Each structure stands twice: as C-alpha cells, then as structure tokens.
Amino acid sequence: MSGKDLWLLAWRGLIRRPVRAALTTAGLAVAVASMVLFLSLGEGVRKVFTQEVGSIGPDLQVSLNGFAQGLLPAPNLAASTAADLRAFSTELGFAQITPVVTNLRQALDPKQSAVFYGLPAQSGIQALFSGVQAAQGRLLLPADEGQPVAVLGDRIAQNLNLKLGSSLRLNRKASVRVVGIIRPENSLSDTFVFLPISTLQAALGAQGKVSLVAIKLRRPAEARRTATIISGRLKLEVQTQSDFVGFVDRALKISDAARLGISLIAVLVGGLAVANTVMMGVFERMREFATLRAVGARPAFVRALVLAESVLLSLVGGTIGVLLGWAGTGGVNLYTQNLAGIDAAALTPRLLALAFGISLVLGLAAGLLPARAAGNVRIVSALGRA
C-alpha cells in the first residue's frame, strides 16, 4: 500500500467521528493560537526597537544605577553631574551634554498612561530626538524654562484628548498647559510628553536631581572607551547605545521564555487531548485493526496508520491555530497602532516554524502509545469481541 493510501485511510479514520475530532482540533488550535499570539508580542517589540535603534538613546547615558531601575530611572542623580562631565568635554570629545528627568505615570487604562521627559528648554527636544517638528503650536523655547508648559507627541495628545491650550495634570499638585503638538513620526517619541526640566523637577519634588545625563559624542565609535573612562573617574554607571540594545534584548528573551513556558502548558494540554482521542479510537477499532492484520497487514503498517491519524489531527489543529494567532496579532496591532502608533506583534518565519514544529512533535508523541497498542493487537481475541 502506498503512502498516499495510508494518509487517506488515516483521514477517513478521523472523520468517522467528526464531533470528537472537531472538538480535539479546536482545543489544540486554541492552544497553538495562544502560543503564537504570546510569542508574537516579543517579536513585535523586538522589531520596533530594531527599527528605532538609532533614535532610542544617546551615544552615552550616565546614571546612578544603570539599568537596575529600568529604562526610565527615577531622578536620583545629582544635577551637578552635568557640570562635572563638561569638564571632560574637550578631552573626551563630547558634542552635547543633556541632563534628563524621566517619569512614568501609570493608569489602569493604558491610554491614560504617559511618559514625561524633562529636558533643558534651551537645548530643546532636538537634543535627544533629532528631526522633531511641531505640527501645531511650537516646540520648547529657552524662555519656557521653569514655566508650566508642555509639548506632546501626536499619539499621546490623541490618547489624552488634549489640544493646544489644554491643561495637562502631572500629579495632584501640578499641571501644565499644552503649547505644542509634534508632527507624527510613527515612533516612540509620539507617545512622550516633553517639559522644561525644572518644571518636571518641581512637580516631582526633585530639585537638584536628574534621572540621567545623555551625551552625544563627536566620535561615536569610541563610545565604549569613553564610557570606561567616565565610569572610572566619576564612579557612576555609564551605558552605551549597544548596552541599551543589549538590555532590551535580554529583557525580551526573558519575557519570551516566560511566555513560551505558559504557552507550552496550554499546548501540552492540547497534546493530551489528541492522545486521548487517538487512544479512544484505537480501543474502539480493535476489530478493524485485527481484520487488517488478518488479511496480511504488518504491525508496522497498523502503527503507521495510527501515527498518521495523530499527526494529521495535530497538523490540522496547528494550522487552524496559526491562522487564529495571525488574526489575533492583527487585532493586537490594531489596538497598539491606535494606542502608540506601533505594531506590538509580529508573525515571523521562525515563529511559524516553531508553531508547526511543536504541532508535529505533539502529534508524533501523542500517537506513540496508541500506535503501539494498535500494532500489538491480538487478532483472535480482537475478532472475537462483540
């Protein structure tokens, strides 16, 4: 019997009990879809940071504790650090030194969350985000230092339903007036709120403190050597742009591992459902297998037939799961585009290969025990069953 006939027999064996097969396939499909959706979030975020690697950080970033506090450190570094660094400007080739205060306001509704960037009004937003232009109103001016004003990214302005002249509350004690909205860049800067640094310091009660000091170098290729020198002299943490990318990549790998672990639990449950369905089919069809053996079929053929049924069931479930996951990533991206102007999920070739690979392995593993039972059937006793 040819391989085509084997797979045809396996398919007929599955559709003989359509309800049971459909329910098992649905359970496995949901499990695979959840795995695809969870892992696609990490792929999407990784893709966003890869695309924006040139604009997500300065050449050097000086802070008190490095990335121990995450990407948005609290203002716990002495503001005088900027002046200390200026003393090395000529020697180490600094093109620009920018003290920065960052703050994250979190809310139950993601649209109400906001990232605040406090920058010296004199150097302006372009000190860290080059090419930024105002779509409405203006950017920060030197005269804005210490004033209750803010410039908003296009996306955060939409999320908070703010326009020129609107009042934005920073906390219970402080609020600012919107004087500008940035032209959409389809980047992370669309989700930021920019304020004069002293305004944000006063609102946070962090006068004389900054979160970090950003440095642009005349020779970016010497970032690693320069970081080592600064760290040794000032006893502070200094990260390069490659350190930033590495930190993000490590965080995403840890997140991927956690999501994969959770997803595998769901997929294993789906695999057990496949094994249960195939095993029940084997016990119900013992006479059929005995008849095949009686007319000359070898035990290896019977085992191959059961394994083929298990693999078919898993691959169909995996295919449907991938399609459901693809639809789910579309829904996630629709939401995140509306929220932050980015695609937070991505269905990559390696993710598709992983999903189908796990489905195939599950099919083989789930069919091993039932196939062994079918191949070892005793012809006389099985034919004698009622």
Side-chain angles (χ1 to χ4, degrees), residues 249-325:
D249 187 58
R250 287 193 300 272
L252 288 175
K253 285 181 179 178
I254 294 172
S255 177
D256 286 344
R259 285 194 298 269
L260 179 60
I262 295 172
S263 302
L264 283 178
I265 294 174
V267 173
L268 286 175
V269 172
L272 291 175
V274 172
N276 180 66
T277 296
V278 176
M279 182 64 81
M280 289 178 65
V282 166
F283 283 122
E284 292 172 356
R285 296 157 58 196
M286 280 298 186
R287 293 188 66 184
E288 176 184 332
F289 295 137
T291 302
L292 287 174
R293 290 288 310 282
V295 297
R298 294 180 176 275
F301 172 80
V302 176
R303 286 193 290 267
L305 178 61
V306 175
L307 278 175
E309 291 182 8
S310 180
V311 170
L312 271 177
L313 198 59
S314 296
L315 288 181
V316 171
T319 301
I320 297 174
V322 168
L323 293 175
L324 289 175

Side-chain angles (χ1 to χ4, degrees), residues 10-30:
W11 178 253
R12 288 177 178 174
L14 288 178
I15 62 176
R16 189 181 305 175
R17 296 166 181 80
V19 175
R20 181 191 299 170
L23 290 176
T24 303
T25 301
L28 183 59
V30 170

Side-chain angles (χ1 to χ4, degrees), residues 221-273:
E222 298 182 2
R224 176 60 60 193
R225 182 184 71 85
T226 306
T228 302
I229 294 174
I230 296 173
S231 180
R233 291 181 181 180
L234 299 182
K235 308 303 179 184
L236 295 172
E237 295 290 334
V238 185
Q239 292 80 37
T240 65
Q241 194 175 80
S242 61
D243 292 332
F244 180 90
V245 175
F247 172 80
V248 172
D249 187 58
R250 287 193 300 272
L252 288 175
K253 285 181 179 178
I254 294 172
S255 177
D256 286 344
R259 285 194 298 269
L260 179 60
I262 295 172
S263 302
L264 283 178
I265 294 174
V267 173
L268 286 175
V269 172
L272 291 175

Side-chain angles (χ1 to χ4, degrees), residues 56-118:
I56 56 179
D59 295 321
L60 296 177
Q61 177 175 303
V62 181
S63 59
L64 187 62
N65 299 313
F67 294 129
Q69 293 183 329
L71 300 181
L72 297 172
N76 53 14
L77 178 69
S80 59
T81 303
D84 296 337
L85 288 166
R86 288 190 181 94
F88 312 136
S89 183
T90 302
E91 176 191 354
L92 299 180
F94 297 162
Q96 190 171 31
I97 298 173
T98 308
V100 180
V101 174
T102 62
N103 181 250
L104 172 63
R105 186 183 74 184
Q106 293 180 305
L108 293 177
D109 181 1
K111 286 191 173 184
Q112 299 302 310
S113 299
V115 175
F116 298 117
Y117 258 84

